[in-house]
Amino acid sequence: MRLVKTLLGATAITAAASAAYATDLEVTHWWTSGGEAAAVAQFAKAFNEKTDHNWVDGAIAGGGSTARPIMISRILGGDPMGATQFNHGRQAQELIEAGLMLDLTDVAEAEGWKDVIHPASLLDSCTLDGRIYCVPVNIHSWQWLWLNNAAFTDNGMDVPTNWDEYVAAMPALDEAGIVPLAMGGQPWQSSGAFGVMAIALAGPEAWLAVNKDKNADVAGGEAYAKVFEAAAAAREYSKNTNVQDWNLATAMVIEGKAGGQIMGDWAQGEFAVAQKVAGVDYTCLPGLGMNELIDTAGDAFYFPKNDDAEIEVAQKELASLMLSKEVQVAFNLNKGSLPVRGDVDLSAANDCMKKGLKILADGNTMPSGDMLLSPDTSGQIEDLMTQFWSSDIAAADAQAAYAAIIAEAE
């Protein structure tokens, strides 16, 4: 037996292992942009320095929609990695039910994860039948609008404080040769932006009725009609983005080639790499400045089962390390996300992160779509939104198709 001391330094977990040899642990993820790479490097650095093991980076370019099928195929095909990223929610549920994921309950109980992870829904999303199968590492919210301040002030306008003011400024931005709304071509971007607009413009209750209760009448009703009409108007001002990747669209905002972008708070990492200052160079509006709340989406790491006892030891050490105070701070300051621990020092947080922390402290939170919708339903919505944002399909027709998807949702 080998005693594996937790990186929190407070408890110890006993694990079976043959010897204290260093283990190469492959970790797959889709963090490849500048800000993302800087953040994941904090995990790798801590793992290599604080354990006897080696982080083998398995970055997959193209975002989660590209990476997840590859990850799942490897696990199902008997070629599991040591650890893999998924989002909070139901993405790994079938793998857990198939018995392919390592049970982390012993680590979680020994280290008191229930006492430090906030909100509790994050750990709940890792739990199935009372057992814990993943470690949440951050809180990422889609509910943000990012604006380049100079794009407005240099053209004689005040920086908008909400969506309505932003929309009113779009014609002037367009006239000045600035893309009003940057929208990359990856399917998840258009789907995510629509979800943000739904919460901001239709309101949280309507959004929950659709995504949680699967109420097709609300999806096809007046509240959502306003969202589809607003999205149809906004897409006219996003057509000249001409990039695929989300970070390239964010770069357009950073460089002043675009006025704004609806994107999750991971965009902060790109502004940080570009050495831009929140509140000076750019403005962030939670809830589009309309309904100031955040969703508790984010990233979690799962550990596929492996027959090698040494690998299991390394897996549990990494799970422990990812929730340690020091690593939580280092990772999230680089990532632009909020920590899942409620007991860490974030005095170095910038203005945008402080906004998110206050919203979180006030309890103005929502579950994410990933927590409520099956991967199949999410995929159907992504396909619809890709078609909607890239064509002239009428708002009413897109809404009817959307309501039909919700009516059949699991």
Side-chain angles (χ1 to χ4, degrees), residues 321-359:
L321 180 147
M322 285 176 161
L323 271 181
S324 66
K325 288 185 178 181
E326 178 184 351
V327 175
Q328 274 282 295
V329 171
F331 171 77
N332 284 293
L333 286 178
N334 279 277
K335 192 69 168 63
S337 49
L338 303 181
V340 299
R341 292 186 67 116
D343 59 352
V344 295
D345 179 12
L346 282 174
S347 55
N350 66 20
D351 286 350
C352 292
M353 186 177 283
K354 287 177 180 177
K355 286 183 181 181
L357 288 168
K358 184 179 186 305
I359 292 171

PDB file of all heavy atoms in Angstrom, residues 321-359:
ATOM      1  N   LEU A 321      -5.049  18.183  -6.429  1.00  0.00           N
ATOM      2  CA  LEU A 321      -4.292  19.393  -6.721  1.00  0.00           C
ATOM      3  C   LEU A 321      -5.166  20.454  -7.392  1.00  0.00           C
ATOM      4  O   LEU A 321      -5.056  21.641  -7.103  1.00  0.00           O
ATOM      5  CB  LEU A 321      -3.104  19.027  -7.597  1.00  0.00           C
ATOM      6  CG  LEU A 321      -2.150  20.135  -8.036  1.00  0.00           C
ATOM      7  CD1 LEU A 321      -0.743  19.588  -8.150  1.00  0.00           C
ATOM      8  CD2 LEU A 321      -2.574  20.736  -9.381  1.00  0.00           C
ATOM      9  N   MET A 322      -6.031  20.035  -8.303  1.00  0.00           N
ATOM     10  CA  MET A 322      -6.847  20.993  -9.045  1.00  0.00           C
ATOM     11  C   MET A 322      -7.755  21.813  -8.143  1.00  0.00           C
ATOM     12  O   MET A 322      -8.151  22.926  -8.503  1.00  0.00           O
ATOM     13  CB  MET A 322      -7.686  20.262 -10.100  1.00  0.00           C
ATOM     14  CG  MET A 322      -6.878  19.816 -11.309  1.00  0.00           C
ATOM     15  SD  MET A 322      -7.868  18.859 -12.485  1.00  0.00           S
ATOM     16  CE  MET A 322      -6.852  19.000 -13.959  1.00  0.00           C
ATOM     17  N   LEU A 323      -8.082  21.278  -6.970  1.00  0.00           N
ATOM     18  CA  LEU A 323      -8.930  22.005  -6.035  1.00  0.00           C
ATOM     19  C   LEU A 323      -8.150  22.684  -4.923  1.00  0.00           C
ATOM     20  O   LEU A 323      -8.747  23.320  -4.057  1.00  0.00           O
ATOM     21  CB  LEU A 323      -9.971  21.064  -5.413  1.00  0.00           C
ATOM     22  CG  LEU A 323     -11.291  20.931  -6.164  1.00  0.00           C
ATOM     23  CD1 LEU A 323     -12.239  20.000  -5.421  1.00  0.00           C
ATOM     24  CD2 LEU A 323     -11.951  22.286  -6.364  1.00  0.00           C
ATOM     25  N   SER A 324      -6.836  22.593  -4.918  1.00  0.00           N
ATOM     26  CA  SER A 324      -6.050  23.253  -3.884  1.00  0.00           C
ATOM     27  C   SER A 324      -6.173  24.769  -4.038  1.00  0.00           C
ATOM     28  O   SER A 324      -6.365  25.291  -5.138  1.00  0.00           O
ATOM     29  CB  SER A 324      -4.586  22.823  -3.959  1.00  0.00           C
ATOM     30  OG  SER A 324      -3.992  23.286  -5.157  1.00  0.00           O
ATOM     31  N   LYS A 325      -6.058  25.485  -2.943  1.00  0.00           N
ATOM     32  CA  LYS A 325      -6.249  26.941  -2.973  1.00  0.00           C
ATOM     33  C   LYS A 325      -5.296  27.629  -3.944  1.00  0.00           C
ATOM     34  O   LYS A 325      -5.700  28.461  -4.759  1.00  0.00           O
ATOM     35  CB  LYS A 325      -6.060  27.509  -1.565  1.00  0.00           C
ATOM     36  CG  LYS A 325      -7.176  27.200  -0.583  1.00  0.00           C
ATOM     37  CD  LYS A 325      -6.933  27.910   0.744  1.00  0.00           C
ATOM     38  CE  LYS A 325      -8.053  27.647   1.723  1.00  0.00           C
ATOM     39  NZ  LYS A 325      -7.845  28.347   3.007  1.00  0.00           N
ATOM     40  N   GLU A 326      -4.018  27.289  -3.840  1.00  0.00           N
ATOM     41  CA  GLU A 326      -3.006  27.946  -4.667  1.00  0.00           C
ATOM     42  C   GLU A 326      -3.283  27.747  -6.148  1.00  0.00           C
ATOM     43  O   GLU A 326      -3.203  28.697  -6.951  1.00  0.00           O
ATOM     44  CB  GLU A 326      -1.627  27.392  -4.313  1.00  0.00           C
ATOM     45  CG  GLU A 326      -0.498  27.974  -5.140  1.00  0.00           C
ATOM     46  CD  GLU A 326       0.839  27.328  -4.810  1.00  0.00           C
ATOM     47  OE1 GLU A 326       0.924  26.561  -3.831  1.00  0.00           O
ATOM     48  OE2 GLU A 326       1.807  27.591  -5.550  1.00  0.00           O
ATOM     49  N   VAL A 327      -3.606  26.540  -6.535  1.00  0.00           N
ATOM     50  CA  VAL A 327      -3.819  26.239  -7.947  1.00  0.00           C
ATOM     51  C   VAL A 327      -5.128  26.847  -8.439  1.00  0.00           C
ATOM     52  O   VAL A 327      -5.214  27.331  -9.575  1.00  0.00           O
ATOM     53  CB  VAL A 327      -3.772  24.720  -8.185  1.00  0.00           C
ATOM     54  CG1 VAL A 327      -4.111  24.380  -9.633  1.00  0.00           C
ATOM     55  CG2 VAL A 327      -2.395  24.186  -7.841  1.00  0.00           C
ATOM     56  N   GLN A 328      -6.160  26.847  -7.606  1.00  0.00           N
ATOM     57  CA  GLN A 328      -7.415  27.477  -7.979  1.00  0.00           C
ATOM     58  C   GLN A 328      -7.220  28.952  -8.321  1.00  0.00           C
ATOM     59  O   GLN A 328      -7.764  29.457  -9.305  1.00  0.00           O
ATOM     60  CB  GLN A 328      -8.426  27.339  -6.846  1.00  0.00           C
ATOM     61  CG  GLN A 328      -9.220  26.048  -6.865  1.00  0.00           C
ATOM     62  CD  GLN A 328     -10.326  26.077  -7.898  1.00  0.00           C
ATOM     63  OE1 GLN A 328     -11.264  26.859  -7.801  1.00  0.00           O
ATOM     64  NE2 GLN A 328     -10.204  25.229  -8.910  1.00  0.00           N
ATOM     65  N   VAL A 329      -6.422  29.655  -7.516  1.00  0.00           N
ATOM     66  CA  VAL A 329      -6.169  31.077  -7.772  1.00  0.00           C
ATOM     67  C   VAL A 329      -5.361  31.254  -9.053  1.00  0.00           C
ATOM     68  O   VAL A 329      -5.724  32.048  -9.933  1.00  0.00           O
ATOM     69  CB  VAL A 329      -5.439  31.720  -6.578  1.00  0.00           C
ATOM     70  CG1 VAL A 329      -4.982  33.141  -6.929  1.00  0.00           C
ATOM     71  CG2 VAL A 329      -6.351  31.759  -5.358  1.00  0.00           C
ATOM     72  N   ALA A 330      -4.258  30.518  -9.181  1.00  0.00           N
ATOM     73  CA  ALA A 330      -3.382  30.686 -10.346  1.00  0.00           C
ATOM     74  C   ALA A 330      -4.112  30.371 -11.643  1.00  0.00           C
ATOM     75  O   ALA A 330      -4.009  31.113 -12.636  1.00  0.00           O
ATOM     76  CB  ALA A 330      -2.147  29.789 -10.195  1.00  0.00           C
ATOM     77  N   PHE A 331      -4.859  29.274 -11.655  1.00  0.00           N
ATOM     78  CA  PHE A 331      -5.561  28.886 -12.869  1.00  0.00           C
ATOM     79  C   PHE A 331      -6.636  29.900 -13.245  1.00  0.00           C
ATOM     80  O   PHE A 331      -6.703  30.366 -14.386  1.00  0.00           O
ATOM     81  CB  PHE A 331      -6.188  27.499 -12.678  1.00  0.00           C
ATOM     82  CG  PHE A 331      -7.118  27.093 -13.788  1.00  0.00           C
ATOM     83  CD1 PHE A 331      -6.621  26.660 -15.001  1.00  0.00           C
ATOM     84  CD2 PHE A 331      -8.500  27.170 -13.634  1.00  0.00           C
ATOM     85  CE1 PHE A 331      -7.468  26.296 -16.041  1.00  0.00           C
ATOM     86  CE2 PHE A 331      -9.357  26.814 -14.651  1.00  0.00           C
ATOM     87  CZ  PHE A 331      -8.838  26.378 -15.865  1.00  0.00           C
ATOM     88  N   ASN A 332      -7.494  30.268 -12.299  1.00  0.00           N
ATOM     89  CA  ASN A 332      -8.640  31.110 -12.635  1.00  0.00           C
ATOM     90  C   ASN A 332      -8.270  32.549 -12.940  1.00  0.00           C
ATOM     91  O   ASN A 332      -8.937  33.194 -13.757  1.00  0.00           O
ATOM     92  CB  ASN A 332      -9.680  31.026 -11.517  1.00  0.00           C
ATOM     93  CG  ASN A 332     -10.459  29.723 -11.552  1.00  0.00           C
ATOM     94  OD1 ASN A 332     -11.222  29.474 -12.460  1.00  0.00           O
ATOM     95  ND2 ASN A 332     -10.225  28.864 -10.567  1.00  0.00           N
ATOM     96  N   LEU A 333      -7.209  33.065 -12.336  1.00  0.00           N
ATOM     97  CA  LEU A 333      -6.773  34.408 -12.700  1.00  0.00           C
ATOM     98  C   LEU A 333      -6.317  34.455 -14.152  1.00  0.00           C
ATOM     99  O   LEU A 333      -6.505  35.463 -14.839  1.00  0.00           O
ATOM    100  CB  LEU A 333      -5.642  34.877 -11.783  1.00  0.00           C
ATOM    101  CG  LEU A 333      -6.046  35.275 -10.362  1.00  0.00           C
ATOM    102  CD1 LEU A 333      -4.820  35.682  -9.557  1.00  0.00           C
ATOM    103  CD2 LEU A 333      -7.068  36.417 -10.365  1.00  0.00           C
ATOM    104  N   ASN A 334      -5.719  33.384 -14.633  1.00  0.00           N
ATOM    105  CA  ASN A 334      -5.300  33.324 -16.034  1.00  0.00           C
ATOM    106  C   ASN A 334      -6.459  33.003 -16.969  1.00  0.00           C
ATOM    107  O   ASN A 334      -6.497  33.480 -18.099  1.00  0.00           O
ATOM    108  CB  ASN A 334      -4.196  32.272 -16.208  1.00  0.00           C
ATOM    109  CG  ASN A 334      -2.830  32.775 -15.810  1.00  0.00           C
ATOM    110  OD1 ASN A 334      -2.143  33.424 -16.593  1.00  0.00           O
ATOM    111  ND2 ASN A 334      -2.429  32.499 -14.579  1.00  0.00           N
ATOM    112  N   LYS A 335      -7.404  32.217 -16.493  1.00  0.00           N
ATOM    113  CA  LYS A 335      -8.498  31.758 -17.345  1.00  0.00           C
ATOM    114  C   LYS A 335      -9.602  32.796 -17.504  1.00  0.00           C
ATOM    115  O   LYS A 335     -10.356  32.779 -18.475  1.00  0.00           O
ATOM    116  CB  LYS A 335      -9.092  30.464 -16.761  1.00  0.00           C
ATOM    117  CG  LYS A 335     -10.039  29.723 -17.699  1.00  0.00           C
ATOM    118  CD  LYS A 335      -9.303  29.125 -18.887  1.00  0.00           C
ATOM    119  CE  LYS A 335     -10.167  28.150 -19.664  1.00  0.00           C
ATOM    120  NZ  LYS A 335     -11.359  28.736 -20.279  1.00  0.00           N
ATOM    121  N   GLY A 336      -9.718  33.701 -16.522  1.00  0.00           N
ATOM    122  CA  GLY A 336     -10.818  34.662 -16.555  1.00  0.00           C
ATOM    123  C   GLY A 336     -12.076  34.131 -15.924  1.00  0.00           C
ATOM    124  O   GLY A 336     -13.119  34.792 -15.942  1.00  0.00           O
ATOM    125  N   SER A 337     -12.011  32.941 -15.359  1.00  0.00           N
ATOM    126  CA  SER A 337     -13.168  32.313 -14.731  1.00  0.00           C
ATOM    127  C   SER A 337     -13.147  32.555 -13.227  1.00  0.00           C
ATOM    128  O   SER A 337     -12.191  33.098 -12.668  1.00  0.00           O
ATOM    129  CB  SER A 337     -13.166  30.809 -15.028  1.00  0.00           C
ATOM    130  OG  SER A 337     -11.894  30.244 -14.758  1.00  0.00           O
ATOM    131  N   LEU A 338     -14.216  32.137 -12.560  1.00  0.00           N
ATOM    132  CA  LEU A 338     -14.296  32.264 -11.112  1.00  0.00           C
ATOM    133  C   LEU A 338     -13.915  30.934 -10.476  1.00  0.00           C
ATOM    134  O   LEU A 338     -14.194  29.870 -11.034  1.00  0.00           O
ATOM    135  CB  LEU A 338     -15.719  32.644 -10.690  1.00  0.00           C
ATOM    136  CG  LEU A 338     -16.293  33.924 -11.304  1.00  0.00           C
ATOM    137  CD1 LEU A 338     -17.712  34.173 -10.775  1.00  0.00           C
ATOM    138  CD2 LEU A 338     -15.404  35.118 -11.009  1.00  0.00           C
ATOM    139  N   PRO A 339     -13.282  30.963  -9.311  1.00  0.00           N
ATOM    140  CA  PRO A 339     -12.909  29.716  -8.644  1.00  0.00           C
ATOM    141  C   PRO A 339     -14.131  29.002  -8.101  1.00  0.00           C
ATOM    142  O   PRO A 339     -15.154  29.626  -7.807  1.00  0.00           O
ATOM    143  CB  PRO A 339     -11.998  30.185  -7.506  1.00  0.00           C
ATOM    144  CG  PRO A 339     -12.481  31.565  -7.204  1.00  0.00           C
ATOM    145  CD  PRO A 339     -12.893  32.144  -8.531  1.00  0.00           C
ATOM    146  N   VAL A 340     -14.033  27.690  -7.967  1.00  0.00           N
ATOM    147  CA  VAL A 340     -15.130  26.921  -7.379  1.00  0.00           C
ATOM    148  C   VAL A 340     -15.027  26.894  -5.867  1.00  0.00           C
ATOM    149  O   VAL A 340     -15.995  26.533  -5.190  1.00  0.00           O
ATOM    150  CB  VAL A 340     -15.171  25.472  -7.922  1.00  0.00           C
ATOM    151  CG1 VAL A 340     -15.372  25.474  -9.414  1.00  0.00           C
ATOM    152  CG2 VAL A 340     -13.915  24.699  -7.540  1.00  0.00           C
ATOM    153  N   ARG A 341     -13.886  27.267  -5.339  1.00  0.00           N
ATOM    154  CA  ARG A 341     -13.724  27.375  -3.893  1.00  0.00           C
ATOM    155  C   ARG A 341     -14.169  28.753  -3.431  1.00  0.00           C
ATOM    156  O   ARG A 341     -13.831  29.762  -4.051  1.00  0.00           O
ATOM    157  CB  ARG A 341     -12.269  27.158  -3.475  1.00  0.00           C
ATOM    158  CG  ARG A 341     -11.741  25.751  -3.677  1.00  0.00           C
ATOM    159  CD  ARG A 341     -10.344  25.630  -3.104  1.00  0.00           C
ATOM    160  NE  ARG A 341     -10.362  25.762  -1.649  1.00  0.00           N
ATOM    161  CZ  ARG A 341     -10.015  24.783  -0.800  1.00  0.00           C
ATOM    162  NH1 ARG A 341      -9.618  23.616  -1.266  1.00  0.00           N
ATOM    163  NH2 ARG A 341     -10.051  24.983   0.502  1.00  0.00           N
ATOM    164  N   GLY A 342     -14.882  28.792  -2.329  1.00  0.00           N
ATOM    165  CA  GLY A 342     -15.323  30.071  -1.794  1.00  0.00           C
ATOM    166  C   GLY A 342     -14.403  30.636  -0.742  1.00  0.00           C
ATOM    167  O   GLY A 342     -14.738  31.640  -0.099  1.00  0.00           O
ATOM    168  N   ASP A 343     -13.224  30.030  -0.554  1.00  0.00           N
ATOM    169  CA  ASP A 343     -12.336  30.434   0.539  1.00  0.00           C
ATOM    170  C   ASP A 343     -10.950  30.798   0.050  1.00  0.00           C
ATOM    171  O   ASP A 343      -9.958  30.600   0.749  1.00  0.00           O
ATOM    172  CB  ASP A 343     -12.246  29.314   1.583  1.00  0.00           C
ATOM    173  CG  ASP A 343     -11.718  27.996   1.002  1.00  0.00           C
ATOM    174  OD1 ASP A 343     -11.573  27.915  -0.234  1.00  0.00           O
ATOM    175  OD2 ASP A 343     -11.458  27.073   1.781  1.00  0.00           O
ATOM    176  N   VAL A 344     -10.845  31.353  -1.169  1.00  0.00           N
ATOM    177  CA  VAL A 344      -9.537  31.711  -1.712  1.00  0.00           C
ATOM    178  C   VAL A 344      -9.413  33.221  -1.834  1.00  0.00           C
ATOM    179  O   VAL A 344     -10.412  33.948  -1.925  1.00  0.00           O
ATOM    180  CB  VAL A 344      -9.292  31.051  -3.080  1.00  0.00           C
ATOM    181  CG1 VAL A 344      -9.233  29.549  -2.944  1.00  0.00           C
ATOM    182  CG2 VAL A 344     -10.367  31.451  -4.089  1.00  0.00           C
ATOM    183  N   ASP A 345      -8.175  33.708  -1.849  1.00  0.00           N
ATOM    184  CA  ASP A 345      -7.878  35.132  -1.928  1.00  0.00           C
ATOM    185  C   ASP A 345      -7.799  35.557  -3.391  1.00  0.00           C
ATOM    186  O   ASP A 345      -6.907  35.139  -4.120  1.00  0.00           O
ATOM    187  CB  ASP A 345      -6.551  35.418  -1.222  1.00  0.00           C
ATOM    188  CG  ASP A 345      -6.165  36.900  -1.296  1.00  0.00           C
ATOM    189  OD1 ASP A 345      -7.023  37.725  -1.680  1.00  0.00           O
ATOM    190  OD2 ASP A 345      -5.004  37.220  -0.976  1.00  0.00           O
ATOM    191  N   LEU A 346      -8.735  36.406  -3.803  1.00  0.00           N
ATOM    192  CA  LEU A 346      -8.733  36.903  -5.176  1.00  0.00           C
ATOM    193  C   LEU A 346      -8.586  38.421  -5.206  1.00  0.00           C
ATOM    194  O   LEU A 346      -9.217  39.120  -5.997  1.00  0.00           O
ATOM    195  CB  LEU A 346     -10.013  36.468  -5.898  1.00  0.00           C
ATOM    196  CG  LEU A 346     -10.019  35.005  -6.364  1.00  0.00           C
ATOM    197  CD1 LEU A 346     -11.378  34.634  -6.930  1.00  0.00           C
ATOM    198  CD2 LEU A 346      -8.938  34.762  -7.401  1.00  0.00           C
ATOM    199  N   SER A 347      -7.720  38.927  -4.345  1.00  0.00           N
ATOM    200  CA  SER A 347      -7.493  40.374  -4.300  1.00  0.00           C
ATOM    201  C   SER A 347      -6.885  40.886  -5.607  1.00  0.00           C
ATOM    202  O   SER A 347      -6.973  42.072  -5.912  1.00  0.00           O
ATOM    203  CB  SER A 347      -6.574  40.728  -3.127  1.00  0.00           C
ATOM    204  OG  SER A 347      -5.352  40.000  -3.193  1.00  0.00           O
ATOM    205  N   ALA A 348      -6.264  39.987  -6.370  1.00  0.00           N
ATOM    206  CA  ALA A 348      -5.651  40.386  -7.641  1.00  0.00           C
ATOM    207  C   ALA A 348      -6.651  40.394  -8.794  1.00  0.00           C
ATOM    208  O   ALA A 348      -6.275  40.670  -9.931  1.00  0.00           O
ATOM    209  CB  ALA A 348      -4.495  39.448  -7.974  1.00  0.00           C
ATOM    210  N   ALA A 349      -7.907  40.097  -8.532  1.00  0.00           N
ATOM    211  CA  ALA A 349      -8.916  40.039  -9.590  1.00  0.00           C
ATOM    212  C   ALA A 349      -9.115  41.401 -10.240  1.00  0.00           C
ATOM    213  O   ALA A 349      -9.057  42.441  -9.578  1.00  0.00           O
ATOM    214  CB  ALA A 349     -10.235  39.543  -9.012  1.00  0.00           C
ATOM    215  N   ASN A 350      -9.384  41.403 -11.562  1.00  0.00           N
ATOM    216  CA  ASN A 350      -9.639  42.672 -12.246  1.00  0.00           C
ATOM    217  C   ASN A 350     -11.107  43.068 -12.084  1.00  0.00           C
ATOM    218  O   ASN A 350     -11.899  42.373 -11.439  1.00  0.00           O
ATOM    219  CB  ASN A 350      -9.229  42.593 -13.721  1.00  0.00           C
ATOM    220  CG  ASN A 350     -10.083  41.628 -14.530  1.00  0.00           C
ATOM    221  OD1 ASN A 350     -11.187  41.265 -14.163  1.00  0.00           O
ATOM    222  ND2 ASN A 350      -9.560  41.205 -15.674  1.00  0.00           N
ATOM    223  N   ASP A 351     -11.482  44.200 -12.690  1.00  0.00           N
ATOM    224  CA  ASP A 351     -12.827  44.736 -12.493  1.00  0.00           C
ATOM    225  C   ASP A 351     -13.913  43.776 -12.975  1.00  0.00           C
ATOM    226  O   ASP A 351     -14.971  43.662 -12.352  1.00  0.00           O
ATOM    227  CB  ASP A 351     -12.980  46.077 -13.223  1.00  0.00           C
ATOM    228  CG  ASP A 351     -12.242  47.211 -12.521  1.00  0.00           C
ATOM    229  OD1 ASP A 351     -11.771  46.987 -11.376  1.00  0.00           O
ATOM    230  OD2 ASP A 351     -12.112  48.302 -13.101  1.00  0.00           O
ATOM    231  N   CYS A 352     -13.657  43.092 -14.090  1.00  0.00           N
ATOM    232  CA  CYS A 352     -14.672  42.190 -14.626  1.00  0.00           C
ATOM    233  C   CYS A 352     -14.850  40.966 -13.732  1.00  0.00           C
ATOM    234  O   CYS A 352     -15.976  40.532 -13.469  1.00  0.00           O
ATOM    235  CB  CYS A 352     -14.303  41.767 -16.051  1.00  0.00           C
ATOM    236  SG  CYS A 352     -14.403  43.118 -17.248  1.00  0.00           S
ATOM    237  N   MET A 353     -13.737  40.416 -13.258  1.00  0.00           N
ATOM    238  CA  MET A 353     -13.845  39.282 -12.354  1.00  0.00           C
ATOM    239  C   MET A 353     -14.540  39.689 -11.062  1.00  0.00           C
ATOM    240  O   MET A 353     -15.336  38.923 -10.505  1.00  0.00           O
ATOM    241  CB  MET A 353     -12.468  38.695 -12.060  1.00  0.00           C
ATOM    242  CG  MET A 353     -12.529  37.418 -11.225  1.00  0.00           C
ATOM    243  SD  MET A 353     -10.908  36.665 -10.928  1.00  0.00           S
ATOM    244  CE  MET A 353     -10.650  35.893 -12.543  1.00  0.00           C
ATOM    245  N   LYS A 354     -14.278  40.893 -10.585  1.00  0.00           N
ATOM    246  CA  LYS A 354     -14.935  41.368  -9.366  1.00  0.00           C
ATOM    247  C   LYS A 354     -16.443  41.499  -9.572  1.00  0.00           C
ATOM    248  O   LYS A 354     -17.225  41.237  -8.654  1.00  0.00           O
ATOM    249  CB  LYS A 354     -14.333  42.706  -8.940  1.00  0.00           C
ATOM    250  CG  LYS A 354     -12.935  42.570  -8.349  1.00  0.00           C
ATOM    251  CD  LYS A 354     -12.325  43.915  -8.004  1.00  0.00           C
ATOM    252  CE  LYS A 354     -10.927  43.746  -7.420  1.00  0.00           C
ATOM    253  NZ  LYS A 354     -10.262  45.049  -7.143  1.00  0.00           N
ATOM    254  N   LYS A 355     -16.851  41.899 -10.769  1.00  0.00           N
ATOM    255  CA  LYS A 355     -18.287  41.932 -11.063  1.00  0.00           C
ATOM    256  C   LYS A 355     -18.891  40.544 -10.939  1.00  0.00           C
ATOM    257  O   LYS A 355     -19.951  40.361 -10.344  1.00  0.00           O
ATOM    258  CB  LYS A 355     -18.540  42.468 -12.482  1.00  0.00           C
ATOM    259  CG  LYS A 355     -18.352  43.957 -12.667  1.00  0.00           C
ATOM    260  CD  LYS A 355     -18.704  44.350 -14.103  1.00  0.00           C
ATOM    261  CE  LYS A 355     -18.501  45.830 -14.347  1.00  0.00           C
ATOM    262  NZ  LYS A 355     -18.867  46.211 -15.740  1.00  0.00           N
ATOM    263  N   GLY A 356     -18.208  39.564 -11.516  1.00  0.00           N
ATOM    264  CA  GLY A 356     -18.690  38.192 -11.449  1.00  0.00           C
ATOM    265  C   GLY A 356     -18.724  37.670 -10.031  1.00  0.00           C
ATOM    266  O   GLY A 356     -19.676  36.994  -9.622  1.00  0.00           O
ATOM    267  N   LEU A 357     -17.695  37.982  -9.244  1.00  0.00           N
ATOM    268  CA  LEU A 357     -17.649  37.529  -7.852  1.00  0.00           C
ATOM    269  C   LEU A 357     -18.788  38.120  -7.038  1.00  0.00           C
ATOM    270  O   LEU A 357     -19.381  37.447  -6.189  1.00  0.00           O
ATOM    271  CB  LEU A 357     -16.301  37.908  -7.229  1.00  0.00           C
ATOM    272  CG  LEU A 357     -15.087  37.119  -7.715  1.00  0.00           C
ATOM    273  CD1 LEU A 357     -13.793  37.769  -7.249  1.00  0.00           C
ATOM    274  CD2 LEU A 357     -15.161  35.669  -7.239  1.00  0.00           C
ATOM    275  N   LYS A 358     -19.116  39.395  -7.294  1.00  0.00           N
ATOM    276  CA  LYS A 358     -20.222  40.024  -6.565  1.00  0.00           C
ATOM    277  C   LYS A 358     -21.549  39.382  -6.931  1.00  0.00           C
ATOM    278  O   LYS A 358     -22.395  39.123  -6.061  1.00  0.00           O
ATOM    279  CB  LYS A 358     -20.275  41.521  -6.848  1.00  0.00           C
ATOM    280  CG  LYS A 358     -21.361  42.243  -6.037  1.00  0.00           C
ATOM    281  CD  LYS A 358     -21.381  43.728  -6.303  1.00  0.00           C
ATOM    282  CE  LYS A 358     -22.367  44.427  -5.365  1.00  0.00           C
ATOM    283  NZ  LYS A 358     -23.739  43.873  -5.415  1.00  0.00           N
ATOM    284  N   ILE A 359     -21.749  39.127  -8.227  1.00  0.00           N
ATOM    285  CA  ILE A 359     -22.987  38.478  -8.660  1.00  0.00           C
ATOM    286  C   ILE A 359     -23.105  37.098  -8.026  1.00  0.00           C
ATOM    287  O   ILE A 359     -24.176  36.697  -7.557  1.00  0.00           O
ATOM    288  CB  ILE A 359     -23.023  38.386 -10.196  1.00  0.00           C
ATOM    289  CG1 ILE A 359     -23.170  39.786 -10.807  1.00  0.00           C
ATOM    290  CG2 ILE A 359     -24.178  37.492 -10.665  1.00  0.00           C
ATOM    291  CD1 ILE A 359     -22.996  39.822 -12.314  1.00  0.00           C
TER     292      ILE A 359
END
